[in-house]
Amino acid sequence: MNLVANAPSADGVWRQLRLLPGALDDGSPIDGEVALVVVQGLIRWIGPAADLPAAYRTFAQHDGGDSLVGPGLVDCHTHLVYGGQRANEFAMRLAGASYEEVAKGGGGIVSSVRATREADEDTLFALAAPRLQALLAEGVCAIEIKSGYGLALEHERKQLRVARRLGEAFGVTVRTTFLGAHALPPEYAGRSQDYIDLVCKEMLPALAAEGLVDAVDVFCERIGFSLAETEQVFQAAKALGLPVKLHAEQLSDLGGSELAARFGALSCDHIEHLSAEGIAAMKDSGTVAVLLPGAYYTLRDTNLPPIAALRAAGIPMAVSTDHNPGTSPALSLLLMANMACTLFRLTVPEALAGITRHAATALGLQGTHGALAVGRPANFVLWTVREAAELAYWFGNAPVHTVVRQGKVFPTI
Ligand code: DI6
Ligand code: FE
């Protein structure tokens, strides 16, 4: 499957556009009609249509239909590649079982590990492709995809290879994250340290050498790995020159955020139980706070992440799907923006920055994604809305006119 080969080039002049507030890299507004020029897949010019240089007037013309133009969306935390699904656990939790109880009873992450190990690479690709397509149809132009359902070298490799293949087949920027320390595989029961040694000394170096790892993550949690184990994985990542990020303070406060900040982490994700010390550490390190309202909602969590304190500290907040079969079977980043506003009380501009600009920073992609600027790859979305707030207001439909991804046009209406 290769959708990219058939997609038309976006080169030319895009007109009949209005600018989504905050869309430009420098945050400046443009009143009235906007024009945007794409040359060889890169944004060459953007500004008031009235100021379009004469040289571009003979280029191919694209009618934007009076859409609002903004940067491509960025989904900065997903577990998109896995076998099976876990609707049975959804039913168990509805009947009263907690996430931790389900995990301790042999369900949870480990049940997805079984299904992922059984699936070959082509099967995993075929399962993940429609999930990715749902996100892309809504305007996602860059996505992070984690491993973590293989928990053995060959199976983690399989997941990461599928992630890379998805990026090529769909013409979307994929950042891979090695999450070998997601859960203890059953064959290592009671031997957590041995497994961490395997992760640090064998799995990570091998996969990094194969070019499959853009960043390294750990599930630092009572039902995951301890702070000391997390630090070992971070040391191994650092030795290989790889950036780290962390599933931190989701179900309890283990102090993972302080550790992550010390390692200059790209992001701390979940953070429902983040402490004042964690916030102070993140503030100093430039680490992005990644909010995952889909998991909060699915687990019917009641501990809100400390939004007001994050805001007061000036910590950038990203919003992501956390797509995974256990706690967030979500395939709409716009719905997550809506939930970040409704459940977490983000403002609309915060939620929109959370699925663009700050999400890009959480992936180290702030130079190329998350905002519109001359010289960047053409990744942008034409939205069929009158005003920006509609992007976080509607849910259940994607008001998309056209997605331009990596300089190719993917019309949706
Ligand atoms: N936190 C999450 O929300 C996902 N992983 C993690 O560490 C859940 C993964 C799962 O339940 O399969
Ligand atoms: Fe996650």
Side-chain angles (χ1 to χ4, degrees), residues 70-92:
L73 307 185
V74 179
D75 196 353
C76 67
H77 178 141
T78 86
H79 310 247
L80 201 76
V81 177
Y82 55 84
Q85 47 78 24
R86 310 225 301 268
N88 62 326
E89 292 176 18
F90 178 62
M92 284 164 73

Side-chain angles (χ1 to χ4, degrees), residues 77 79 86 89 93 99 108-112 146 149 179 181-182 217-221 247 250-251 270 292 295 299 322-328:
H77 178 141
H79 310 247
R86 310 225 301 268
E89 292 176 18
R93 282 200 310 277
Y99 181 59
I109 295 172
V110 167
S111 75
S112 293
K146 302 175 194 292
Y149 290 120
L179 179 56
H182 192 194
D217 191 355
V218 176
F219 186 28
C220 180
E221 192 54 67
H247 279 74
Q250 179 186 6
L251 309 169
H270 286 289
L292 304 170
L299 296 177
D322 189 18
H323 178 86
N324 76 74
T327 63
S328 192

Side-chain angles (χ1 to χ4, degrees), residues 293-298 334-345 392:
Y296 175 91
Y297 165 81
T298 301
L334 290 181
L335 177 58
M336 300 304 113
N338 170 276
M339 287 164 56
C341 295
T342 308
L343 300 175
F344 293 172
R345 316 311 287 171

